[in-house]
Amino acid sequence: MDLKLQGHRALVTGASSGIGAGIARVLAEEGARLVMTATNRQRLEGVAQEIVAAGHADPVLLTADITDAQAVNELAEQARSALGGIDILVNAAGSSRPTDTQADDAFWEEAIELNFSSARRLTQALLPDMRTRKWGRIINISGTMEPRSINAASAAKAALHVWAKGLSCDVAAEGITVNCVAPGRINSAQILNRLHPTEENRQDFIARNIPAGTFGEPEDMGYMTAFLASPLAWYITGAVIPVDGGMHYFAH
């Protein structure tokens, strides 16, 4: 299926590894023009080299600390200037922040800045142009709403879901969709090194909780994101769509 993304302009945050990199690769395969951003320039360059080696256009690379409000505004302006505008925003940056009952304000604030506020600010910076053009796609990579212990990122992702739902209602009549994609267990450094560090642990979790019988790949998140970014997905907005191989809710 042709997703009709040829020439559309996309900004992907957290694009240097894991889910963000997988999304960038799929969007490039579909013909989108890319701005990729992360804090690690070397890893960004590695992903960009993979994209070019596969025969796709060379992405624009921008490094930015998206937990800094001023840096977000500068990133938005640089991305607009690089491609002449942004049609598709993929807020993929984020990271788990497990904690205990005594975490201080600084810990919570950093988790919220990274996992919620950065997406909100970047959306607010790019939304006016989308409204002027009467077309836009905002896709947020979110997370579970079934935490089994305290995780500051989970609270931030809950805010992301509710904010995105409200925003989707405000801009739907203007040709702009806003959706969230919730990953299950996707093969990435965060999952493989921190959450499931041994093969035995992975296989045990899969056997008990994932009907598909395996963890997903970053590109699996990319396929769903690319569809939601497509003109074909114009009637899907305000949704939270899991990509998790049927993982049981209690397993989160």
Side-chain angles (χ1 to χ4, degrees):
M1 179 184 292
D2 178 10
L3 294 180
K4 305 184 186 303
L5 285 173
Q6 189 72 37
H8 280 283
R9 302 161 296 184
L11 169 60
V12 182
T13 70
S16 63
S17 64
I19 289 171
I23 291 170
R25 286 191 286 263
V26 173
L27 288 175
E29 289 170 8
E30 292 296 325
R33 299 164 60 198
L34 289 181
V35 175
M36 298 164 50
T37 186
T39 56
N40 190 307
R41 177 80 186 194
Q42 184 175 4
R43 289 207 301 255
L44 270 179
E45 290 174 349
V47 178
Q49 288 168 7
E50 294 174 5
I51 288 171
V52 172
H56 310 306
D58 199 351
V60 175
L61 306 182
L62 299 173
T63 55
D65 175 7
I66 60 171
T67 65
D68 179 84
Q70 182 59 38
V72 167
N73 289 333
E74 292 172 358
L75 170 62
E77 183 55 39
Q78 290 169 349
R80 279 194 299 258
S81 297
L83 297 185
I86 296 295
D87 309 304
I88 300 160
L89 170 61
V90 182
N91 291 307
S95 184
S96 180
R97 291 293 185 268
T99 187
D100 58 27
T101 59
Q102 300 303 312
D104 61 18
D105 285 354
F107 181 91
W108 279 93
E109 288 166 3
E110 186 274 341
I112 291 169
E113 290 288 327
L114 176 61
N115 291 285
F116 169 59
S117 297
S118 61
R120 175 187 60 77
R121 289 183 180 126
L122 197 48
T123 300
Q124 288 178 194
L126 295 174
L127 191 58
D129 287 350
M130 294 181 184
R131 299 182 97 160
T132 297
R133 291 191 299 272
K134 300 294 183 182
W135 202 95
R137 297 289 184 266
I138 298 159
I139 301 110
N140 307 294
I141 306 309
S142 60
T144 178
M145 292 296 97
E146 296 287 339
R148 313 316 294 173
S149 60
I150 299 175
N151 191 314
S154 295
K157 296 299 189 181
L160 188 68
H161 283 173
V162 177
W163 164 80
K165 181 69 173 181
L167 177 62
S168 73
C169 297
D170 288 343
V171 300
E174 300 176 64
I176 301 165
T177 67
V178 187
N179 291 290
C180 295
V181 182
R185 296 297 193 264
I186 303 297
N187 284 318
S188 64
Q190 181 167 264
I191 294 296
L192 299 180
N193 297 338
R194 293 169 58 182
L195 195 57
H196 297 288
T198 69
E199 186 62 24
E200 180 181 8
N201 177 269
R202 294 166 200 157
Q203 292 306 317
D204 178 66
F205 185 90
I206 289 167
R208 289 185 293 108
N209 300 303
I210 304 180
T214 185
F215 287 178
E217 296 297 332
E219 282 75 11
D220 294 318
M221 291 289 291
Y223 302 136
M224 176 56 71
T225 300
F227 175 67
L228 292 173
S230 166
L232 303 179
W234 71 274
Y235 205 55
I236 302 171
T237 195
V240 179
I241 302 175
V243 176
D244 61 8
M247 188 166 74
H248 306 312
Y249 263 70
F250 63 78
H252 288 273

